[in-house]
């Protein structure tokens, strides 16, 4: 999951980002409203964490600008403002969730996972693809009921694919949302990682759509 964290307190932004990255997310941070408004409209994020008290543009104005420009990524407002009027203004501007400071880092990650799950149309935290099962709350995969051992890289790729089961996902999309700038979609790194995952799955669940990308299915002949 690629997340934009908008927070003007550098130390708090660092702590939030570190916690989300430990949870396997790709995080970018920005501390100013005008920059946040621009990034949210030009980059493709899976979710955003947004403070309200920002220099430049306040958080409500940033959120309204995103929504007016057709940006529909889930937004979690994270702020010290606990009044009902502030919450109402946040939801009216297009927020999907609202969390007040102080907060538990684990709750931020949990709420983002729930928001993403809903945005992708999943009603429960457990996703299924043939014999493969994924618990998005714990981040664990099982194959025929047995825990599947994956590296952190393999886990992020497989989680991204199963959340979009039946849809072809391009190499560049995986690189952007799973590894941000760390993976060159034109290299063979992704193919190597997909090959490792396929060997661990045994069942032919990951299809290669030549020239387009990869697609996770309930089973069938691998391309």
């Amino acid at each position: 999951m690629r997340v934009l964290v908008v927070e003007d307190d550098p130390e708090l932004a660092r702590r939030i980002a570190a916690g989300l990255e430990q949870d396997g997310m790709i995080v970018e941070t920005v501390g100013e409203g005008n920059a946040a408004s621009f990034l949210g409209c030009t980059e493709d994020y899976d979710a955003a964490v947004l403070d309200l008290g920002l220099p430049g543009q306040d958080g409500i104005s940033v959120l309204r600008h995103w929504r007016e420009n057709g940006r529909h990524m889930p937004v979690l407002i994270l702020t010290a403002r606990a009044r009902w009027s502030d919450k109402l203004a946040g939801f009216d501007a297009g927020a999907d969730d609202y969390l007040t400071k102080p907060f538990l880092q684990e709750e931020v990650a949990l709420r983002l996972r729930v928001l993403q799950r809903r945005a992708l149309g999943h009603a429960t935290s457990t996703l299924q693809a043939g014999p493969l099962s994924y618990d998005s709350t714990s981040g664990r995969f099982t194959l025929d009921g047995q825990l599947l051992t994956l590296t952190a890289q393999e886990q992020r790729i497989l989680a991204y694919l199963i959340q979009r089961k039946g849809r072809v996902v391009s190499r560049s999309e995986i690189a952007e949302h799973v590894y941000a700038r760390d993976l060159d979609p034109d290299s063979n790194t992704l193919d190597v990682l997909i090959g490792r995952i396929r060997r661990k799955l045994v069942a032919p669940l990951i299809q290669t759509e030549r020239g387009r990308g990869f697609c996770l299915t309930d089973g069938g002949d691998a391309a």
Side-chain angles (χ1 to χ4, degrees):
M1 186 193 306
R2 186 185 181 197
V3 180
L4 176 65
V5 172
V6 186
E7 170 58 60
D8 66 331
D9 182 333
E11 177 57 24
L12 181 55
R14 186 197 65 77
R15 282 172 32 218
I16 294 171
L20 296 180
E21 287 169 351
Q22 188 174 4
D23 204 64
M25 301 181 193
I26 301 299
V27 183
E28 297 174 33
T29 62
V30 62
E32 195 271 337
N34 292 322
S37 183
F38 174 79
L39 283 173
C41 287
T42 57
E43 295 290 331
D44 190 11
Y45 297 103
D46 296 306
V49 178
L50 178 65
D51 188 18
L52 294 184
L54 300 169
Q57 288 186 53
D58 64 89
I60 295 296
S61 298
V62 170
L63 180 52
R64 284 190 178 131
H65 183 71
W66 288 347
R67 297 314 192 210
E68 288 168 359
N69 283 271
R71 309 305 285 184
H72 302 301
M73 71 279 196
V75 174
L76 167 64
I77 289 179
L78 185 60
T79 179
R81 300 180 187 178
R83 296 178 303 177
W84 169 247
S85 58
D86 292 317
K87 294 181 180 181
L88 182 61
F91 284 114
D92 280 346
D96 298 275
D97 201 354
Y98 196 107
L99 182 62
T100 56
K101 303 172 184 177
F103 57 90
L104 293 175
Q105 179 62 48
E106 295 82 1
E107 186 173 4
V108 178
L110 175 62
R111 291 192 183 215
L112 287 177
R113 287 197 299 268
V114 171
L115 289 177
Q116 186 196 38
R117 187 181 78 214
R118 290 175 179 169
L120 292 170
H122 303 304
T124 68
S125 61
T126 301
L127 307 180
Q128 198 77 28
L132 181 68
S133 181
Y134 173 59
D135 185 334
S136 61
T137 300
S138 67
R140 293 184 176 182
F141 282 94
T142 57
L143 187 67
D144 288 323
Q146 300 299 311
L147 184 64
L148 187 63
T149 302
L150 300 165
T151 67
Q153 291 178 326
E154 293 165 354
Q155 194 273 344
R156 286 196 294 266
I157 291 175
L158 192 54
Y160 196 79
L161 290 175
I162 198 171
Q163 288 167 343
R164 292 154 181 82
K165 187 180 78 169
R167 173 187 148 192
V168 178
V169 181
S170 69
R171 284 176 167 78
S172 60
E173 186 177 345
I174 294 174
E176 183 177 18
H177 289 262
V178 177
Y179 291 97
R181 302 176 182 86
D182 297 333
L183 180 65
D184 178 3
D186 294 326
S187 74
N188 67 347
T189 304
L190 182 57
D191 296 281
V192 171
L193 291 169
I194 291 288
R196 290 179 186 171
I197 295 170
R198 279 178 167 146
R199 287 192 291 273
K200 291 181 179 181
L201 293 179
V202 183
L205 303 181
I206 300 177
Q207 305 286 339
T208 299
E209 299 289 336
R210 301 194 185 282
R212 299 176 62 202
F214 304 96
C215 180
L216 186 74
T217 69
D218 287 315
D221 296 329

